[in-house]
Amino acid sequence: RILTIFWMESMYQSDLSDKEWYLIKSHFHPTDRRGSYYKHEKKTIVDAILYVIEGGIKWRMMPNDFPPWKTVYDHFSKWNKLGVWETALDEMNRVSRKKKKRSANPSYGIVDAQSVKTQFASDEIGYDGGKKVKGHKRHIVVDILGNLLHVSVHAANLSDTKQACDVLERTHEKYPTIEAFSGDGGYRGTAVKFVEERLNITLHISMRIKDGFAVLPKRWIVERTFAWLGNFRRLAKDVEILTATSENMVRIAMLKLTLAKCI
């Protein structure tokens, strides 16, 4: 009996605390009555999804103390389509910024891209000749605190400076308070011109100070965000078929990270 009680109260490392769940539970209210939709607690479903992403396992390999994997995946897919992850993350970004005594909406964005290998016949696969990677490219924009403002996943062979136009425009539409962006030397040319002419703001370019490693002003913030995401093993390779699913995997990982900063 004692052992059973101890097991029931234990948590996986990827689980949300009660305080973290309280901040986002309003986004996961049931919307219909299909099958056993009310059978499992929504927190348990979210914890199961986080277990998959942080542990880097297949859906079918979830431990038996979670709901059936098909049930978990059904909720994951439904919340993807409803935009629940993005909405919850946006709210937590505002909470995180207010806790740091900043305005709720950012005034500065930092853009960067990361090429990652794909494992299956995913959508929009390309070869990044510079990084020697065949697969996808994750384009992200973060604020000055490293919070994720926007993510876009596309073929790795597409150039940063051209793809950044759409990424930066969508970020600015979502956050019109942004007054400037920052990017590395790969965004020179098309992206700089687009931001100035279309968005009427500035894209600051951080050039390499010297050969080899060097910490560049503001650039380290977005690199740190990529390092945070690297702790989620499901993101080590892109095993998702749809790029939209890949984007939500990044959002869910960042939601977990941002919640920890809001407590």
Side-chain angles (χ1 to χ4, degrees), residues 124 126-128 137 139 154-163:
E124 303 181 35
Y127 183 75
D128 183 345
K137 184 177 289 186
H139 241 117
H154 52 81
N157 62 310
L158 300 179
S159 67
D160 290 354
T161 187
K162 291 183 179 180
Q163 286 302 118

mmCIF file of all heavy atoms in Angstrom, residues 124 126-128 137 139 154-163:
data_model
loop_
_atom_site.group_PDB
_atom_site.id
_atom_site.type_symbol
_atom_site.label_atom_id
_atom_site.label_comp_id
_atom_site.label_asym_id
_atom_site.label_seq_id
_atom_site.Cartn_x
_atom_site.Cartn_y
_atom_site.Cartn_z
ATOM 1 N N GLU A 124 8.671 18.928 -47.935
ATOM 2 C CA GLU A 124 9.595 20.048 -48.175
ATOM 3 C C GLU A 124 11.034 19.750 -47.740
ATOM 4 O O GLU A 124 11.668 20.545 -47.058
ATOM 5 C CB GLU A 124 9.090 21.305 -47.457
ATOM 6 C CG GLU A 124 7.694 21.725 -47.851
ATOM 7 C CD GLU A 124 7.241 22.983 -47.135
ATOM 8 O OE1 GLU A 124 8.085 23.867 -46.894
ATOM 9 O OE2 GLU A 124 6.055 23.079 -46.801
ATOM 10 N N GLY A 126 15.024 19.446 -48.339
ATOM 11 C CA GLY A 126 16.033 20.055 -49.193
ATOM 12 C C GLY A 126 17.416 19.845 -48.606
ATOM 13 O O GLY A 126 17.554 19.387 -47.466
ATOM 14 N N TYR A 127 18.441 20.184 -49.377
ATOM 15 C CA TYR A 127 19.825 19.990 -48.929
ATOM 16 C C TYR A 127 20.491 21.330 -48.687
ATOM 17 O O TYR A 127 20.574 22.176 -49.586
ATOM 18 C CB TYR A 127 20.618 19.198 -49.971
ATOM 19 C CG TYR A 127 22.043 18.901 -49.557
ATOM 20 C CD1 TYR A 127 22.317 17.927 -48.602
ATOM 21 C CD2 TYR A 127 23.121 19.618 -50.097
ATOM 22 C CE1 TYR A 127 23.619 17.645 -48.207
ATOM 23 C CE2 TYR A 127 24.420 19.356 -49.707
ATOM 24 C CZ TYR A 127 24.663 18.360 -48.764
ATOM 25 O OH TYR A 127 25.957 18.092 -48.367
ATOM 26 N N ASP A 128 20.949 21.538 -47.463
ATOM 27 C CA ASP A 128 21.680 22.745 -47.095
ATOM 28 C C ASP A 128 23.160 22.498 -47.373
ATOM 29 O O ASP A 128 23.841 21.811 -46.620
ATOM 30 C CB ASP A 128 21.449 23.057 -45.616
ATOM 31 C CG ASP A 128 22.124 24.362 -45.170
ATOM 32 O OD1 ASP A 128 22.981 24.873 -45.910
ATOM 33 O OD2 ASP A 128 21.788 24.865 -44.088
ATOM 34 N N LYS A 137 14.750 23.171 -42.329
ATOM 35 C CA LYS A 137 15.375 24.311 -41.675
ATOM 36 C C LYS A 137 14.329 24.960 -40.770
ATOM 37 O O LYS A 137 13.215 25.244 -41.202
ATOM 38 C CB LYS A 137 15.904 25.318 -42.696
ATOM 39 C CG LYS A 137 16.664 26.486 -42.076
ATOM 40 C CD LYS A 137 17.225 27.396 -43.161
ATOM 41 C CE LYS A 137 18.376 26.735 -43.895
ATOM 42 N NZ LYS A 137 19.028 27.679 -44.863
ATOM 43 N N HIS A 139 13.274 28.147 -38.852
ATOM 44 C CA HIS A 139 13.478 29.590 -38.759
ATOM 45 C C HIS A 139 12.719 30.083 -37.540
ATOM 46 O O HIS A 139 11.501 29.871 -37.434
ATOM 47 C CB HIS A 139 12.939 30.285 -40.010
ATOM 48 C CG HIS A 139 13.970 31.015 -40.775
ATOM 49 N ND1 HIS A 139 14.337 30.686 -42.067
ATOM 50 C CD2 HIS A 139 14.757 32.067 -40.448
ATOM 51 C CE1 HIS A 139 15.282 31.501 -42.493
ATOM 52 N NE2 HIS A 139 15.550 32.363 -41.525
ATOM 53 N N HIS A 154 10.769 24.785 -43.035
ATOM 54 C CA HIS A 154 10.724 24.662 -44.486
ATOM 55 C C HIS A 154 11.929 23.860 -44.966
ATOM 56 O O HIS A 154 12.759 23.425 -44.151
ATOM 57 C CB HIS A 154 10.702 26.047 -45.145
ATOM 58 C CG HIS A 154 11.804 26.959 -44.682
ATOM 59 N ND1 HIS A 154 13.085 26.892 -45.188
ATOM 60 C CD2 HIS A 154 11.820 27.952 -43.756
ATOM 61 C CE1 HIS A 154 13.841 27.799 -44.606
ATOM 62 N NE2 HIS A 154 13.090 28.457 -43.725
ATOM 63 N N ALA A 155 12.038 23.662 -46.270
ATOM 64 C CA ALA A 155 13.142 22.894 -46.834
ATOM 65 C C ALA A 155 14.481 23.556 -46.519
ATOM 66 O O ALA A 155 14.603 24.786 -46.551
ATOM 67 C CB ALA A 155 12.967 22.750 -48.341
ATOM 68 N N ALA A 156 15.495 22.740 -46.234
ATOM 69 C CA ALA A 156 16.789 23.267 -45.798
ATOM 70 C C ALA A 156 17.547 23.976 -46.909
ATOM 71 O O ALA A 156 18.472 24.747 -46.628
ATOM 72 C CB ALA A 156 17.643 22.128 -45.235
ATOM 73 N N ASN A 157 17.191 23.736 -48.164
ATOM 74 C CA ASN A 157 17.939 24.343 -49.256
ATOM 75 C C ASN A 157 17.515 25.783 -49.548
ATOM 76 O O ASN A 157 18.178 26.485 -50.312
ATOM 77 C CB ASN A 157 17.779 23.501 -50.530
ATOM 78 C CG ASN A 157 16.344 23.429 -51.008
ATOM 79 O OD1 ASN A 157 15.442 23.124 -50.229
ATOM 80 N ND2 ASN A 157 16.114 23.715 -52.273
ATOM 81 N N LEU A 158 16.444 26.241 -48.948
ATOM 82 C CA LEU A 158 15.987 27.608 -49.185
ATOM 83 C C LEU A 158 16.862 28.599 -48.423
ATOM 84 O O LEU A 158 17.170 28.386 -47.249
ATOM 85 C CB LEU A 158 14.533 27.761 -48.761
ATOM 86 C CG LEU A 158 13.533 26.844 -49.485
ATOM 87 C CD1 LEU A 158 12.127 27.070 -48.967
ATOM 88 C CD2 LEU A 158 13.595 27.053 -50.998
ATOM 89 N N SER A 159 17.251 29.684 -49.080
ATOM 90 C CA SER A 159 18.197 30.628 -48.495
ATOM 91 C C SER A 159 17.575 31.397 -47.338
ATOM 92 O O SER A 159 16.377 31.692 -47.328
ATOM 93 C CB SER A 159 18.686 31.619 -49.562
ATOM 94 O OG SER A 159 17.637 32.466 -49.984
ATOM 95 N N ASP A 160 18.416 31.734 -46.368
ATOM 96 C CA ASP A 160 17.946 32.460 -45.188
ATOM 97 C C ASP A 160 17.377 33.826 -45.552
ATOM 98 O O ASP A 160 16.312 34.221 -45.059
ATOM 99 C CB ASP A 160 19.100 32.646 -44.198
ATOM 100 C CG ASP A 160 19.511 31.340 -43.537
ATOM 101 O OD1 ASP A 160 18.827 30.315 -43.766
ATOM 102 O OD2 ASP A 160 20.518 31.346 -42.801
ATOM 103 N N THR A 161 18.083 34.555 -46.401
ATOM 104 C CA THR A 161 17.697 35.935 -46.674
ATOM 105 C C THR A 161 16.351 36.031 -47.393
ATOM 106 O O THR A 161 15.603 36.983 -47.193
ATOM 107 C CB THR A 161 18.792 36.661 -47.488
ATOM 108 O OG1 THR A 161 18.463 38.051 -47.594
ATOM 109 C CG2 THR A 161 18.942 36.063 -48.875
ATOM 110 N N LYS A 162 16.009 35.028 -48.224
ATOM 111 C CA LYS A 162 14.716 35.051 -48.916
ATOM 112 C C LYS A 162 13.597 34.561 -48.014
ATOM 113 O O LYS A 162 12.514 35.146 -47.962
ATOM 114 C CB LYS A 162 14.787 34.213 -50.193
ATOM 115 C CG LYS A 162 15.664 34.820 -51.276
ATOM 116 C CD LYS A 162 15.634 33.974 -52.544
ATOM 117 C CE LYS A 162 16.497 34.611 -53.639
ATOM 118 N NZ LYS A 162 16.493 33.801 -54.888
ATOM 119 N N GLN A 163 13.833 33.466 -47.301
ATOM 120 C CA GLN A 163 12.798 32.925 -46.414
ATOM 121 C C GLN A 163 12.519 33.848 -45.247
ATOM 122 O O GLN A 163 11.417 33.859 -44.713
ATOM 123 C CB GLN A 163 13.219 31.548 -45.906
ATOM 124 C CG GLN A 163 13.120 30.451 -46.948
ATOM 125 C CD GLN A 163 11.715 30.324 -47.504
ATOM 126 O OE1 GLN A 163 11.478 30.519 -48.698
ATOM 127 N NE2 GLN A 163 10.773 29.991 -46.654
#
